[in-house]
Amino acid sequence: MPKSDLLLSPPQAAACCAPASQVLLPAAQDDPVACCAPLSQGALSLDQAEQVAPLLKALADPVRLRLMSLVASHPGGEACVCDLADAFDLSQPTISHHLKVLHESGLLDREKRGVWVYYRARDRALASLGALIGYPAP
């Protein structure tokens, strides 16, 4: 499992959740966190909440939320700062900082090409975040 992945599954998987309810989320730490997903199936421990919170915090900023949306919906599925700058009344270094925060949280991948850095949304991370927060279907 890559360093940036956080596997959310219950400590007592057989007793709590089916394997289909395990969620893979980005994380800044090496150790996986265990919990049931979605949140409505079981309460997070303090340790689990502390590991998921940075991901949600990264998305809680309106600029970063828009950047995430712009990158994810950009033609070809990737964008560089030069593609995004016109959508904001912010300097290029400020936009780069916000993209760095999204990358470090595990929501974006990046690839340097010459002098430009291209960002791509981690679709699996977004889908897993949605699964964690989502309410189960009736």
Side-chain angles (χ1 to χ4, degrees):
M1 177 182 320
K3 178 181 178 183
S4 63
D5 288 340
L6 170 67
L7 179 62
L8 297 176
S9 60
Q12 309 84 7
C16 178
C17 299
S21 66
Q22 293 180 346
V23 176
L24 184 66
L25 285 176
Q29 300 164 347
D30 291 328
D31 297 327
V33 167
C35 81
C36 293
L39 294 176
S40 61
Q41 290 183 0
L44 294 176
S45 70
L46 177 59
D47 186 48
Q48 294 164 340
E50 286 175 348
Q51 291 189 34
V52 174
L55 175 68
L56 298 174
K57 185 177 179 180
L59 285 174
D61 181 277
V63 171
R64 289 194 288 267
L65 188 57
R66 278 196 68 215
L67 278 170
M68 193 71 217
S69 173
L70 288 167
V71 170
S73 66
H74 199 269
E78 65 181 12
C80 70
V81 177
C82 62
D83 297 325
L84 304 168
D86 291 341
F88 298 91
D89 189 23
L90 299 170
S91 67
Q92 181 272 327
T94 300
I95 293 171
S96 291
H97 167 75
H98 286 295
L99 289 167
K100 178 182 175 187
V101 170
L102 290 168
H103 169 72
E104 288 177 349
S105 73
L107 289 167
L108 292 177
D109 285 328
R110 68 179 177 191
E111 178 184 340
K112 186 166 182 164
R113 298 181 200 154
V115 297
W116 297 108
V117 178
Y118 286 80
Y119 294 88
R120 178 178 291 278
R122 292 186 68 204
D123 293 335
R124 187 171 179 182
L126 293 176
S128 295
L129 181 59
L132 174 70
I133 294 173
Y135 195 79

